[in-house]
Amino acid sequence: MERDHSVSDGTDHERRSFIQRLLQTVCGIGGLGVLGGIGAFLFPPERQAFRPGPARLHVGPADAFDVGEGRQVQFEGTPVWVLRLPSGFAAFSAICTHKGCIIDWDETRRLLRCPCHGGLFDTHGNVASGLPRHPLPRIDVGVVRGEVVLTAEEDEDAV
Amino acid sequence: MSIWARARTSLGQELDQPVSPSIGWRHVIGALTVFFFVVEILTGILLMVYYQPTAGDAYDSVQYIMSTANLGWLVRGLHVWAGTLLVLFALLHLVRVWGQGAYRGGRGFNWGLGVLLLLMLLAFGFTGMLLPWDQAAFWTIDEAREAISHVPFLGPLLLGVLWGGIEELGEGALLRFYVFHVGLLPWITVALLGLHLYLVGRQGLHHPGDDEREAGDEK
């Protein structure tokens, strides 16, 4: 009897300390998990930080453009025409201000032409003829270390 | 004895205290309410990292939290759900205290504190409702503005404080709701809650058995 008692006492004690240790381990792991989650939340995902400053797009080396050449690129989710004009680079939204078609660059006539209703824009983005009534939105473009770079207007997102 | 060791022993003593058999699971409700409140504070502080209380950015910043920030959906989800459960458990706690007559025996003041705390929670819910700045938030709070404007005498005063004296629901009101939600109400609530818990510890838990004795005393 005495021996049984001491044995059961021992297992009881072991069980208790085992459960305590188990509980501590689970709480510790859980706590670390919560801390890790908080850390993950606090570090903004790369390149997608809130208010990351103006968006930029490297179009390519400037000397790869011939004078009069135009390239259509995707910038901030919209198509944009990047044009190499005799006076330098210019970039315009490629969405016609009439009905929203994607306009073409006519290299020989140096005009932006809308295939839907024939609207024409000159190399300043102004309406040359046709149905559009508003000029094409201009996008900031510049040459940085030989690269053509588009820059979004800073407050575009905030509106 | 170091502070650590002392804290350990006193906590151990507290945990090893025998509890009356009349204290059961129903007494956990109040502790759960406190737990949800702590969750609200932690997740609320985290949300403040990305939330922007301006008319232009509030909605976008909530969208950013939900779709871009790591685990942002979880943090905001916890904040919303813990907030809902907080009010639910506070009400259950109130029903439990009322049902067991636990407000008796000199605990009337603490009962009053509890009711004040419940009002604080509702104020949290009301001011937090506007912050997502979506259609539901806007029109719900605009409806509340209509209702408040019909409160006799106090209506204009309340509107002036909450809406910043501007008739329409706009940037000023959003900022004020935010300030109340994160800057003013938490401090008041923490102070009231501290007093509430201190009084519970000091006056001891109410045992349902006490009622008969008290009833006997009254007779």
PDB file of all heavy atoms in Angstrom, chain B residues 197-214:
ATOM      1  N   LEU B 197     -12.000  46.794 -11.483  1.00  0.00           N
ATOM      2  CA  LEU B 197     -11.291  45.563 -11.103  1.00  0.00           C
ATOM      3  C   LEU B 197     -10.723  45.688  -9.692  1.00  0.00           C
ATOM      4  O   LEU B 197     -10.730  44.720  -8.920  1.00  0.00           O
ATOM      5  CB  LEU B 197     -10.170  45.272 -12.104  1.00  0.00           C
ATOM      6  CG  LEU B 197     -10.641  44.932 -13.511  1.00  0.00           C
ATOM      7  CD1 LEU B 197      -9.450  44.708 -14.436  1.00  0.00           C
ATOM      8  CD2 LEU B 197     -11.521  43.692 -13.497  1.00  0.00           C
ATOM      9  N   TYR B 198     -10.237  46.892  -9.344  1.00  0.00           N
ATOM     10  CA  TYR B 198      -9.709  47.102  -7.999  1.00  0.00           C
ATOM     11  C   TYR B 198     -10.801  46.842  -6.966  1.00  0.00           C
ATOM     12  O   TYR B 198     -10.577  46.173  -5.956  1.00  0.00           O
ATOM     13  CB  TYR B 198      -9.177  48.526  -7.875  1.00  0.00           C
ATOM     14  CG  TYR B 198      -8.805  48.909  -6.471  1.00  0.00           C
ATOM     15  CD1 TYR B 198      -7.658  48.404  -5.880  1.00  0.00           C
ATOM     16  CD2 TYR B 198      -9.612  49.778  -5.732  1.00  0.00           C
ATOM     17  CE1 TYR B 198      -7.318  48.748  -4.591  1.00  0.00           C
ATOM     18  CE2 TYR B 198      -9.288  50.127  -4.447  1.00  0.00           C
ATOM     19  CZ  TYR B 198      -8.131  49.612  -3.870  1.00  0.00           C
ATOM     20  OH  TYR B 198      -7.806  49.945  -2.593  1.00  0.00           O
ATOM     21  N   LEU B 199     -11.988  47.353  -7.237  1.00  0.00           N
ATOM     22  CA  LEU B 199     -13.093  47.166  -6.285  1.00  0.00           C
ATOM     23  C   LEU B 199     -13.513  45.702  -6.219  1.00  0.00           C
ATOM     24  O   LEU B 199     -13.876  45.207  -5.147  1.00  0.00           O
ATOM     25  CB  LEU B 199     -14.283  48.044  -6.682  1.00  0.00           C
ATOM     26  CG  LEU B 199     -14.089  49.528  -6.360  1.00  0.00           C
ATOM     27  CD1 LEU B 199     -15.269  50.336  -6.852  1.00  0.00           C
ATOM     28  CD2 LEU B 199     -13.909  49.724  -4.858  1.00  0.00           C
ATOM     29  N   VAL B 200     -13.449  44.991  -7.356  1.00  0.00           N
ATOM     30  CA  VAL B 200     -13.780  43.557  -7.330  1.00  0.00           C
ATOM     31  C   VAL B 200     -12.787  42.834  -6.413  1.00  0.00           C
ATOM     32  O   VAL B 200     -13.167  42.030  -5.573  1.00  0.00           O
ATOM     33  CB  VAL B 200     -13.729  42.953  -8.759  1.00  0.00           C
ATOM     34  CG1 VAL B 200     -13.774  41.431  -8.691  1.00  0.00           C
ATOM     35  CG2 VAL B 200     -14.883  43.465  -9.591  1.00  0.00           C
ATOM     36  N   GLY B 201     -11.485  43.179  -6.583  1.00  0.00           N
ATOM     37  CA  GLY B 201     -10.476  42.539  -5.743  1.00  0.00           C
ATOM     38  C   GLY B 201     -10.660  42.899  -4.285  1.00  0.00           C
ATOM     39  O   GLY B 201     -10.490  42.068  -3.393  1.00  0.00           O
ATOM     40  N   ARG B 202     -11.034  44.149  -4.024  1.00  0.00           N
ATOM     41  CA  ARG B 202     -11.121  44.610  -2.648  1.00  0.00           C
ATOM     42  C   ARG B 202     -12.373  44.095  -1.955  1.00  0.00           C
ATOM     43  O   ARG B 202     -12.336  43.668  -0.809  1.00  0.00           O
ATOM     44  CB  ARG B 202     -11.149  46.127  -2.671  1.00  0.00           C
ATOM     45  CG  ARG B 202     -10.958  46.669  -1.295  1.00  0.00           C
ATOM     46  CD  ARG B 202     -10.726  48.131  -1.308  1.00  0.00           C
ATOM     47  NE  ARG B 202     -10.999  48.585   0.041  1.00  0.00           N
ATOM     48  CZ  ARG B 202     -10.444  49.647   0.566  1.00  0.00           C
ATOM     49  NH1 ARG B 202      -9.625  50.357  -0.128  1.00  0.00           N
ATOM     50  NH2 ARG B 202     -10.734  49.999   1.792  1.00  0.00           N
ATOM     51  N   GLN B 203     -13.499  44.128  -2.662  1.00  0.00           N
ATOM     52  CA  GLN B 203     -14.750  43.702  -2.029  1.00  0.00           C
ATOM     53  C   GLN B 203     -14.926  42.194  -2.114  1.00  0.00           C
ATOM     54  O   GLN B 203     -15.804  41.640  -1.455  1.00  0.00           O
ATOM     55  CB  GLN B 203     -15.928  44.411  -2.709  1.00  0.00           C
ATOM     56  CG  GLN B 203     -15.869  45.906  -2.533  1.00  0.00           C
ATOM     57  CD  GLN B 203     -16.989  46.614  -3.262  1.00  0.00           C
ATOM     58  OE1 GLN B 203     -17.435  46.154  -4.298  1.00  0.00           O
ATOM     59  NE2 GLN B 203     -17.432  47.728  -2.699  1.00  0.00           N
ATOM     60  N   GLY B 204     -14.117  41.541  -2.920  1.00  0.00           N
ATOM     61  CA  GLY B 204     -14.225  40.088  -3.050  1.00  0.00           C
ATOM     62  C   GLY B 204     -15.376  39.707  -3.958  1.00  0.00           C
ATOM     63  O   GLY B 204     -16.289  40.502  -4.214  1.00  0.00           O
ATOM     64  N   LEU B 205     -15.299  38.477  -4.460  1.00  0.00           N
ATOM     65  CA  LEU B 205     -16.378  38.012  -5.331  1.00  0.00           C
ATOM     66  C   LEU B 205     -17.630  37.768  -4.505  1.00  0.00           C
ATOM     67  O   LEU B 205     -17.559  37.386  -3.337  1.00  0.00           O
ATOM     68  CB  LEU B 205     -15.954  36.711  -6.026  1.00  0.00           C
ATOM     69  CG  LEU B 205     -14.899  36.848  -7.110  1.00  0.00           C
ATOM     70  CD1 LEU B 205     -14.478  35.477  -7.593  1.00  0.00           C
ATOM     71  CD2 LEU B 205     -15.421  37.685  -8.256  1.00  0.00           C
ATOM     72  N   HIS B 206     -18.724  38.019  -5.143  1.00  0.00           N
ATOM     73  CA  HIS B 206     -19.999  37.779  -4.474  1.00  0.00           C
ATOM     74  C   HIS B 206     -20.348  36.302  -4.567  1.00  0.00           C
ATOM     75  O   HIS B 206     -20.273  35.705  -5.641  1.00  0.00           O
ATOM     76  CB  HIS B 206     -21.077  38.622  -5.149  1.00  0.00           C
ATOM     77  CG  HIS B 206     -22.454  38.300  -4.675  1.00  0.00           C
ATOM     78  ND1 HIS B 206     -23.254  37.412  -5.336  1.00  0.00           N
ATOM     79  CD2 HIS B 206     -23.149  38.735  -3.614  1.00  0.00           C
ATOM     80  CE1 HIS B 206     -24.407  37.313  -4.684  1.00  0.00           C
ATOM     81  NE2 HIS B 206     -24.363  38.101  -3.644  1.00  0.00           N
ATOM     82  N   HIS B 207     -20.670  35.699  -3.432  1.00  0.00           N
ATOM     83  CA  HIS B 207     -21.072  34.295  -3.450  1.00  0.00           C
ATOM     84  C   HIS B 207     -22.591  34.230  -3.420  1.00  0.00           C
ATOM     85  O   HIS B 207     -23.209  34.868  -2.558  1.00  0.00           O
ATOM     86  CB  HIS B 207     -20.496  33.552  -2.246  1.00  0.00           C
ATOM     87  CG  HIS B 207     -19.006  33.646  -2.188  1.00  0.00           C
ATOM     88  ND1 HIS B 207     -18.203  33.063  -3.131  1.00  0.00           N
ATOM     89  CD2 HIS B 207     -18.182  34.296  -1.324  1.00  0.00           C
ATOM     90  CE1 HIS B 207     -16.938  33.337  -2.836  1.00  0.00           C
ATOM     91  NE2 HIS B 207     -16.902  34.093  -1.748  1.00  0.00           N
ATOM     92  N   PRO B 208     -23.168  33.474  -4.328  1.00  0.00           N
ATOM     93  CA  PRO B 208     -24.632  33.403  -4.373  1.00  0.00           C
ATOM     94  C   PRO B 208     -25.234  33.033  -3.023  1.00  0.00           C
ATOM     95  O   PRO B 208     -26.339  33.437  -2.705  1.00  0.00           O
ATOM     96  CB  PRO B 208     -24.900  32.318  -5.416  1.00  0.00           C
ATOM     97  CG  PRO B 208     -23.710  32.357  -6.309  1.00  0.00           C
ATOM     98  CD  PRO B 208     -22.552  32.741  -5.439  1.00  0.00           C
ATOM     99  N   GLY B 209     -24.482  32.283  -2.207  1.00  0.00           N
ATOM    100  CA  GLY B 209     -24.998  31.901  -0.901  1.00  0.00           C
ATOM    101  C   GLY B 209     -25.240  33.083   0.021  1.00  0.00           C
ATOM    102  O   GLY B 209     -26.052  32.996   0.939  1.00  0.00           O
ATOM    103  N   ASP B 210     -24.518  34.189  -0.254  1.00  0.00           N
ATOM    104  CA  ASP B 210     -24.636  35.347   0.628  1.00  0.00           C
ATOM    105  C   ASP B 210     -26.044  35.927   0.632  1.00  0.00           C
ATOM    106  O   ASP B 210     -26.466  36.550   1.598  1.00  0.00           O
ATOM    107  CB  ASP B 210     -23.666  36.455   0.192  1.00  0.00           C
ATOM    108  CG  ASP B 210     -22.222  36.001   0.351  1.00  0.00           C
ATOM    109  OD1 ASP B 210     -22.036  34.923   0.946  1.00  0.00           O
ATOM    110  OD2 ASP B 210     -21.326  36.715  -0.107  1.00  0.00           O
ATOM    111  N   ASP B 211     -26.740  35.725  -0.471  1.00  0.00           N
ATOM    112  CA  ASP B 211     -28.045  36.373  -0.622  1.00  0.00           C
ATOM    113  C   ASP B 211     -29.006  36.006   0.496  1.00  0.00           C
ATOM    114  O   ASP B 211     -29.672  36.871   1.066  1.00  0.00           O
ATOM    115  CB  ASP B 211     -28.679  35.976  -1.965  1.00  0.00           C
ATOM    116  CG  ASP B 211     -27.950  36.632  -3.119  1.00  0.00           C
ATOM    117  OD1 ASP B 211     -27.162  37.558  -2.825  1.00  0.00           O
ATOM    118  OD2 ASP B 211     -28.145  36.216  -4.255  1.00  0.00           O
ATOM    119  N   GLU B 212     -29.031  34.688   0.788  1.00  0.00           N
ATOM    120  CA  GLU B 212     -29.984  34.248   1.806  1.00  0.00           C
ATOM    121  C   GLU B 212     -29.689  34.925   3.135  1.00  0.00           C
ATOM    122  O   GLU B 212     -30.584  35.386   3.822  1.00  0.00           O
ATOM    123  CB  GLU B 212     -29.915  32.715   1.966  1.00  0.00           C
ATOM    124  CG  GLU B 212     -30.635  31.949   0.869  1.00  0.00           C
ATOM    125  CD  GLU B 212     -29.757  31.726  -0.345  1.00  0.00           C
ATOM    126  OE1 GLU B 212     -28.756  31.023  -0.200  1.00  0.00           O
ATOM    127  OE2 GLU B 212     -30.071  32.255  -1.429  1.00  0.00           O
ATOM    128  N   ARG B 213     -28.366  34.986   3.449  1.00  0.00           N
ATOM    129  CA  ARG B 213     -27.996  35.615   4.706  1.00  0.00           C
ATOM    130  C   ARG B 213     -28.414  37.082   4.719  1.00  0.00           C
ATOM    131  O   ARG B 213     -29.006  37.562   5.665  1.00  0.00           O
ATOM    132  CB  ARG B 213     -26.481  35.499   4.914  1.00  0.00           C
ATOM    133  CG  ARG B 213     -26.127  34.417   5.929  1.00  0.00           C
ATOM    134  CD  ARG B 213     -24.635  34.316   6.105  1.00  0.00           C
ATOM    135  NE  ARG B 213     -23.990  33.691   4.971  1.00  0.00           N
ATOM    136  CZ  ARG B 213     -22.878  34.143   4.406  1.00  0.00           C
ATOM    137  NH1 ARG B 213     -22.306  35.222   4.875  1.00  0.00           N
ATOM    138  NH2 ARG B 213     -22.359  33.516   3.397  1.00  0.00           N
ATOM    139  N   GLU B 214     -28.151  37.750   3.590  1.00  0.00           N
ATOM    140  CA  GLU B 214     -28.518  39.166   3.528  1.00  0.00           C
ATOM    141  C   GLU B 214     -30.020  39.326   3.622  1.00  0.00           C
ATOM    142  O   GLU B 214     -30.536  40.189   4.336  1.00  0.00           O
ATOM    143  CB  GLU B 214     -28.029  39.779   2.217  1.00  0.00           C
ATOM    144  CG  GLU B 214     -26.590  40.248   2.329  1.00  0.00           C
ATOM    145  CD  GLU B 214     -25.970  40.456   0.964  1.00  0.00           C
ATOM    146  OE1 GLU B 214     -26.735  40.699   0.015  1.00  0.00           O
ATOM    147  OE2 GLU B 214     -24.748  40.342   0.858  1.00  0.00           O
TER     148      GLU B 214
END
